[in-house]
Amino acid sequence: DNTNTLNCNVCINRIDLLFKENKDPNEGLSLNNFWSTYLKTLNDFVRCIKNNIEVSVWRLGFVVTLSSMLSESANKLLAETYLKSNIFSNYYEIQLNILNKLTLNNLCHINRWLKFKPLRLSADPSKDIVILSLELDLNTLPEVRYTFNEAEIVNFFNLAYNHIISEVSGLIKVGG
């Protein structure tokens, strides 16, 4: 899909999958449209890495960036929803980051970052537009050294995907 970005970063001890929507926010969540096809590719990729490189994977991360069209300024929505009235005045931008420490289906302990921020046009960054970005970052704890096998790696990404769909999809319009 030409409108989305999918990156897979492989390091000596970590695998990250990053998905970013680059389209009209009201079209629905593209992640739903390609996940089953991607999961098969991921299985093949992980099998290749684990069988041919003999690498130990200690950390995993799944990052999805979504956006939603709003009826008003994204800054105004964040200020009115999350800040005490008049505590800040004349703000230029408001970003909200929330970290949860969770267990992902008894597989591993994770950080779940939810990062809300307004999007700005590169041509006119002073303009406060009506699009809100939400980055969902699920990653294993850096202080815990796991030794994930092939099945556990694929299971992590599948569980992370399902967590995003079931647990946090209500935070921003994901449709699809």
Side-chain angles (χ1 to χ4, degrees), residues 85-108:
S85 62
N86 299 324
I87 195 168
F88 298 102
S89 61
N90 298 322
Y91 52 81
Y92 178 78
E93 182 168 299
I94 297 172
Q95 295 187 20
L96 177 64
N97 299 323
I98 303 166
L99 172 63
N100 297 98
K101 302 279 187 175
L102 307 170
T103 301
L104 191 61
N105 258 38
N106 297 319
L107 175 66
C108 57

Side-chain angles (χ1 to χ4, degrees), residues 37-96:
T37 302
Y38 173 74
L39 202 52
K40 183 192 178 324
T41 303
L42 178 66
N43 271 305
D44 295 341
F45 177 74
V46 169
R47 187 177 309 108
C48 179
I49 287 176
K50 292 295 280 184
N51 292 337
N52 297 318
I53 302 176
E54 296 183 33
V55 64
S56 292
V57 177
W58 307 330
R59 296 202 61 212
L60 297 167
F62 186 58
V63 180
V64 175
T65 303
L66 308 171
S67 57
S68 183
M69 189 71 74
L70 305 173
S71 59
E72 63 181 344
S73 154
N75 278 310
K76 182 178 178 185
L77 173 75
L78 289 172
E80 290 177 354
T81 304
Y82 298 106
L83 299 178
K84 204 176 212 180
S85 62
N86 299 324
I87 195 168
F88 298 102
S89 61
N90 298 322
Y91 52 81
Y92 178 78
E93 182 168 299
I94 297 172
Q95 295 187 20
L96 177 64

Side-chain angles (χ1 to χ4, degrees), residues 2-52:
N2 293 342
T3 61
N4 300 313
T5 304
L6 176 65
N7 290 322
C8 183
N9 299 329
V10 180
C11 302
I12 193 140
N13 64 357
R14 179 178 170 138
I15 297 174
D16 291 321
L17 174 65
L18 300 97
F19 176 81
K20 182 177 181 182
E21 287 189 322
N22 296 313
K23 62 172 187 62
D24 181 338
N26 291 321
E27 291 179 16
L29 181 60
S30 300
L31 185 60
N32 289 334
N33 300 333
F34 88 95
W35 184 253
S36 60
T37 302
Y38 173 74
L39 202 52
K40 183 192 178 324
T41 303
L42 178 66
N43 271 305
D44 295 341
F45 177 74
V46 169
R47 187 177 309 108
C48 179
I49 287 176
K50 292 295 280 184
N51 292 337
N52 297 318

